[in-house]
Amino acid sequence: MRARQAMLVAMLGLSGCATSMGAGSFVSVPTSIKNQQIAANLTGLVAHALPPAHTTVMLQPASGSAGKRFGTTLDAALRARGFGVSSHTGINVRYAVSPFDQSVLLRVWTNNEVLTRAYQPDKSGKLVPVSPITVGRAG
């Protein structure tokens, strides 16, 4: 178990400087985890980088039906947290939701930063962090 956690932390540390992505966002949500839980945690990462109630974000949507459903949920979570959300102006925010082993890896690209954190469902099904937030420069 410790070896797996060490590998995860090492991978997260490298992901900030070595990862770039295209113009949009990516979503691959495991069916066992509710969109609302992922959106709440992703919103927390955005709030770590940008101040709510003072920031309008311009979300780069993910493609596909799963991406559109998740985008709607994320939009609502950001607004509930105090962010303005626009499709035309604001700080550009891209995101990725990816399954990793038995965890979910969340990444947020904003300004010149990429924030990454891994979460895992606990016994009750609630997502809990299993890594620290890593902050790197977006390439």
Side-chain angles (χ1 to χ4, degrees):
M1 183 67 153
R2 286 192 181 264
R4 186 174 141 236
Q5 288 176 338
M7 180 184 74
L8 179 64
V9 169
M11 183 205 59
L12 291 173
L14 293 174
S15 68
C17 58
T19 303
S20 62
M21 66 182 277
S25 298
F26 171 78
V27 174
S28 177
V29 179
T31 57
S32 61
I33 301 172
K34 293 184 175 15
N35 280 345
Q36 292 84 357
Q37 288 186 40
I38 295 171
N41 286 298
L42 199 58
T43 297
L45 288 178
V46 174
H48 188 81
L50 303 169
H54 299 286
T55 306
T56 298
V57 297
M58 184 172 61
L59 288 176
Q60 297 299 310
S63 61
S65 61
K68 288 180 183 180
R69 282 191 307 273
F70 180 75
T72 301
T73 305
L74 179 59
D75 182 288
L78 287 165
R79 289 175 191 274
R81 186 78 180 252
F83 286 98
V85 180
S86 172
S87 59
H88 303 295
T89 61
I91 296 175
N92 190 29
V93 173
R94 296 178 292 150
Y95 54 91
V97 178
S98 308
F100 175 76
D101 198 11
Q102 296 181 10
S103 303
V104 177
L105 189 63
L106 303 182
R107 292 184 193 152
V108 172
W109 286 262
T110 177
N111 292 334
N112 295 323
E113 292 182 323
V114 58
L115 289 83
T116 306
R117 193 169 205 184
Y119 297 82
Q120 194 170 51
D122 65 9
K123 291 180 182 181
S124 69
K126 181 181 177 194
L127 280 182
V128 294
V130 293
S131 74
I133 296 173
T134 61
V135 180
R137 297 197 60 81

